[in-house]
Amino acid sequence: PDQLASDATTLLVRTEPASDPRDPDRLVIVASREYQDDLRPWEVDVELEPIMPPPGDAEDFAGFARDVARGVAGVRMMNDDSSRPHIWGYGPITEGLALVVLVPTSVIDTAVTTVRTTLRDHTAEQNRVITGATVVTCAAVILIAFLVSKTLSLPVRRLVHAVERVADGDFTARARERSADEIGKQAAAFNDKV
């Protein structure tokens, strides 16, 4: 924004009828201000300098002049008088009087590049945080699943171990009954049968 303001030029323009009715109205600069120095006041043109069509932009300039003459606001990309590309933003103030702001496209390109870089950096940081959180969450889920599976499978392994001992001829083997769930009931039934 500081760079934008420092390179912008603001013009106060008005339309003047052309001497030949077949020609388009002329635009003249009533006052201008460049923003390299914030303390610099508006310069009032005593001679009412006309705005000339930029080199190579005669058609766009004619559309711009028509818009200003009709009191229509708009934005156009045209060269300035030194053939540097600018964004021309304009809008009516009163009938026949308009404010025109010229900003070099290089300034806008620089601002866009800065914003794009900032957004890319923030996005990359967010992706790193999300990836880290996802890895931690997955590790926690795997650990919890492992612990739950061990807790649930331990009574089954004990019951299988008791059955294997009986199969080997040890009729004193007993399954531990620690719960009232299905595995506990199976262990109790096994102990009753042996």
Side-chain angles (χ1 to χ4, degrees):
D2 292 337
Q3 179 67 29
L4 185 70
S6 71
D7 288 340
T9 300
T10 303
L11 307 172
L12 192 58
V13 300
R14 71 177 169 140
T15 56
E16 283 189 350
S19 55
D20 184 346
R22 292 172 288 174
D23 290 338
D25 290 342
R26 288 183 348 142
L27 295 177
V28 293
I29 300 172
V30 177
S32 65
R33 181 161 191 243
E34 294 187 15
Y35 289 91
Q36 281 86 9
D37 182 5
D38 286 337
L39 302 176
R40 198 163 131 186
W42 281 81
E43 294 177 11
V44 178
D45 292 315
V46 178
E47 297 176 18
L48 299 179
E49 172 188 344
I51 300 179
M52 302 306 293
D57 286 329
E59 191 175 315
D60 259 348
F61 186 81
F64 158 72
R66 275 193 307 275
D67 285 352
V68 170
R70 293 179 184 148
V72 175
V75 176
R76 292 181 183 265
M77 186 166 142
M78 298 186 290
N79 292 332
D80 65 356
D81 55 2
S82 63
S83 296
R84 292 183 339 172
H86 279 63
I87 300 294
W88 294 51
Y90 52 92
I93 296 176
T94 62
E95 190 171 328
L97 194 62
L99 188 66
V100 179
V101 179
L102 286 79
V103 180
T105 56
S106 60
V107 171
I108 294 170
D109 290 342
T110 300
V112 167
T113 300
T114 301
V115 169
R116 185 177 291 140
T117 300
T118 302
L119 287 174
R120 188 176 24 244
D121 292 346
H122 286 294
T123 302
E125 178 62 26
Q126 287 177 347
N127 285 342
R128 283 191 293 275
V129 168
I130 290 170
T131 301
T134 302
V135 167
V136 168
T137 301
C138 287
V141 166
I142 290 169
L143 178 64
I144 290 169
F146 177 75
L147 294 174
V148 167
S149 71
K150 286 292 187 182
T151 303
L152 293 177
S153 67
L154 183 61
V156 174
R157 285 195 319 256
R158 286 183 181 150
L159 181 58
V160 168
H161 180 65
V163 169
E164 287 171 347
R165 283 179 51 203
V166 169
D168 289 340
D170 181 5
F171 294 105
T172 62
R174 296 283 180 257
R176 293 189 204 166
E177 300 175 45
R178 292 211 172 165
S179 63
D181 63 4
E182 289 78 13
I183 300 299
K185 290 177 185 175
Q186 287 291 327
F190 172 77
N191 290 338
D192 289 343
K193 300 289 184 209
V194 179

Coordinates of all heavy atoms in Angstrom, one line a residue, residues 7 22 25 29 31 57 70-71 76 81 96-97 100 102 111 116 119 128 132 135-136 155 177 179 181 193:
D7 N 3.6 5.7 -5.9 CA 3.7 5.7 -7.4 C 2.4 6.1 -8.1 O 2.4 6.2 -9.3 CB 4.1 4.3 -7.9 CG 5.6 4.1 -7.5 OD1 6.3 5.0 -7.3 OD2 6.0 2.9 -7.5
R22 N -18.2 16.6 -34.6 CA -17.9 15.3 -35.0 C -16.8 14.7 -34.2 O -16.6 13.5 -34.1 CB -17.5 15.2 -36.5 CG -18.7 15.5 -37.4 CD -18.3 15.6 -38.8 NE -17.6 16.9 -38.9 CZ -17.0 17.4 -40.0 NH1 -17.0 16.6 -41.0 NH2 -16.4 18.5 -40.0
D25 N -15.4 14.8 -27.1 CA -15.1 15.8 -26.1 C -13.7 15.6 -25.7 O -13.1 14.5 -25.6 CB -16.1 15.7 -24.9 CG -17.5 16.1 -25.3 OD1 -17.7 16.8 -26.3 OD2 -18.4 15.7 -24.5
I29 N -7.0 18.4 -17.6 CA -6.6 18.2 -16.2 C -6.9 19.5 -15.5 O -6.3 20.6 -15.8 CB -5.2 17.8 -16.1 CG1 -4.9 16.5 -16.9 CG2 -4.7 17.7 -14.7 CD1 -3.5 16.1 -17.0
A31 N -6.6 19.6 -11.9 CA -5.7 19.5 -10.8 C -5.0 18.1 -10.8 O -5.6 17.2 -11.3 CB -6.3 19.8 -9.5
D57 N -2.9 3.4 -27.4 CA -4.2 3.1 -26.7 C -5.3 4.0 -27.1 O -6.2 4.3 -26.3 CB -3.9 3.2 -25.2 CG -3.1 2.1 -24.6 OD1 -3.3 1.0 -25.1 OD2 -2.4 2.3 -23.6
R70 N -19.8 10.8 -19.8 CA -21.1 10.3 -19.4 C -21.3 10.2 -17.9 O -22.4 9.8 -17.4 CB -21.4 9.0 -20.0 CG -21.5 9.1 -21.5 CD -21.8 7.7 -22.1 NE -21.8 7.7 -23.5 CZ -21.4 6.8 -24.3 NH1 -21.0 5.6 -23.8 NH2 -21.4 6.9 -25.6
G71 N -20.2 10.4 -17.1 CA -20.3 10.2 -15.7 C -20.3 8.8 -15.2 O -20.8 8.5 -14.2
R76 N -9.6 0.8 -16.5 CA -9.0 0.4 -17.7 C -7.5 0.3 -17.6 O -6.9 0.9 -16.7 CB -9.3 1.4 -18.8 CG -10.7 1.5 -19.2 CD -10.9 2.5 -20.3 NE -12.3 2.7 -20.7 CZ -12.9 2.0 -21.7 NH1 -12.2 1.2 -22.4 NH2 -14.2 2.2 -21.9
D81 N 1.6 8.6 -20.4 CA 2.2 9.4 -21.4 C 3.7 9.0 -21.7 O 4.2 9.3 -22.8 CB 2.1 10.9 -21.2 CG 2.7 11.3 -19.8 OD1 3.2 10.4 -19.1 OD2 2.6 12.5 -19.5
G96 N -19.6 16.4 -15.2 CA -18.5 16.9 -16.0 C -17.2 16.9 -15.3 O -16.2 17.3 -15.9
L97 N -17.1 16.5 -14.1 CA -15.9 16.5 -13.3 C -15.6 15.0 -12.8 O -16.6 14.4 -12.2 CB -15.9 17.4 -12.1 CG -14.6 17.8 -11.4 CD1 -13.7 18.5 -12.4 CD2 -14.9 18.7 -10.2
V100 N -9.5 10.7 -11.5 CA -8.8 9.6 -12.2 C -7.5 9.3 -11.4 O -6.8 10.1 -11.0 CB -8.4 10.0 -13.6 CG1 -7.7 8.9 -14.4 CG2 -9.6 10.5 -14.4
L102 N -4.1 6.9 -11.5 CA -3.2 6.1 -12.4 C -2.2 5.3 -11.5 O -1.5 6.0 -10.7 CB -2.5 6.9 -13.4 CG -3.2 7.5 -14.5 CD1 -4.0 8.7 -14.2 CD2 -2.3 7.8 -15.6
A111 N 2.7 -6.0 -5.6 CA 1.8 -6.3 -4.5 C 1.2 -7.7 -4.6 O 1.1 -8.4 -3.6 CB 0.7 -5.2 -4.4
R116 N 0.8 -13.3 -2.9 CA 0.8 -14.7 -3.3 C 1.9 -15.4 -2.5 O 1.6 -16.5 -2.0 CB 1.2 -14.7 -4.8 CG 1.1 -16.2 -5.3 CD 1.4 -16.2 -6.8 NE 0.3 -15.6 -7.5 CZ 0.4 -14.8 -8.6 NH1 1.5 -14.5 -9.1 NH2 -0.7 -14.3 -9.2
L119 N 0.6 -15.9 1.1 CA -0.4 -17.0 1.1 C 0.2 -18.3 1.0 O -0.2 -19.3 1.7 CB -1.5 -16.7 0.0 CG -2.5 -15.6 0.3 CD1 -3.4 -15.4 -1.0 CD2 -3.3 -15.8 1.5
R128 N 1.9 -28.2 7.1 CA 2.8 -28.9 8.0 C 2.1 -29.2 9.3 O 2.2 -30.3 9.9 CB 4.0 -28.0 8.2 CG 5.0 -28.1 7.1 CD 6.4 -27.5 7.5 NE 6.3 -26.0 7.7 CZ 6.3 -25.1 6.7 NH1 6.5 -25.5 5.5 NH2 6.2 -23.8 7.0
G132 N 1.3 -32.9 10.7 CA 1.8 -33.3 12.0 C 0.7 -33.8 12.9 O 0.8 -34.9 13.6
V135 N -0.4 -37.3 11.7 CA 0.5 -38.3 12.1 C 0.3 -38.7 13.6 O 0.3 -39.9 14.0 CB 2.0 -37.9 11.8 CG1 3.0 -38.8 12.5 CG2 2.2 -37.9 10.3
V136 N 0.2 -37.7 14.4 CA 0.1 -37.9 15.9 C -1.3 -38.6 16.1 O -1.3 -39.6 16.9 CB 0.1 -36.6 16.7 CG1 -0.3 -36.7 18.1 CG2 1.6 -36.0 16.6
P155 N -8.0 -62.7 27.6 CA -8.8 -63.8 28.2 C -9.0 -65.0 27.2 O -9.1 -66.2 27.6 CB -10.2 -63.2 28.5 CG -9.9 -61.7 28.6 CD -8.7 -61.5 27.7
E177 N -11.7 -67.2 35.5 CA -12.9 -66.5 35.3 C -12.8 -65.1 35.9 O -12.8 -64.9 37.1 CB -14.1 -67.2 36.0 CG -14.3 -68.6 35.5 CD -15.3 -69.3 36.4 OE1 -16.4 -68.7 36.6 OE2 -15.1 -70.4 36.8
S179 N -14.4 -62.2 34.2 CA -15.4 -61.3 33.7 C -16.8 -62.0 33.6 O -16.8 -63.2 33.5 CB -15.0 -60.6 32.4 OG -14.9 -61.6 31.4
D181 N -18.6 -61.4 30.9 CA -19.0 -61.4 29.5 C -18.9 -62.8 28.9 O -18.8 -63.8 29.6 CB -18.1 -60.4 28.8 CG -16.6 -60.8 28.8 OD1 -16.3 -61.9 29.4 OD2 -15.7 -60.1 28.3
K193 N -16.9 -78.5 33.0 CA -16.8 -79.7 32.2 C -15.5 -80.5 32.6 O -15.5 -81.7 32.4 CB -16.7 -79.4 30.7 CG -17.9 -78.7 30.1 CD -19.1 -79.6 30.1 CE -20.2 -78.8 29.4 NZ -21.5 -79.2 29.9

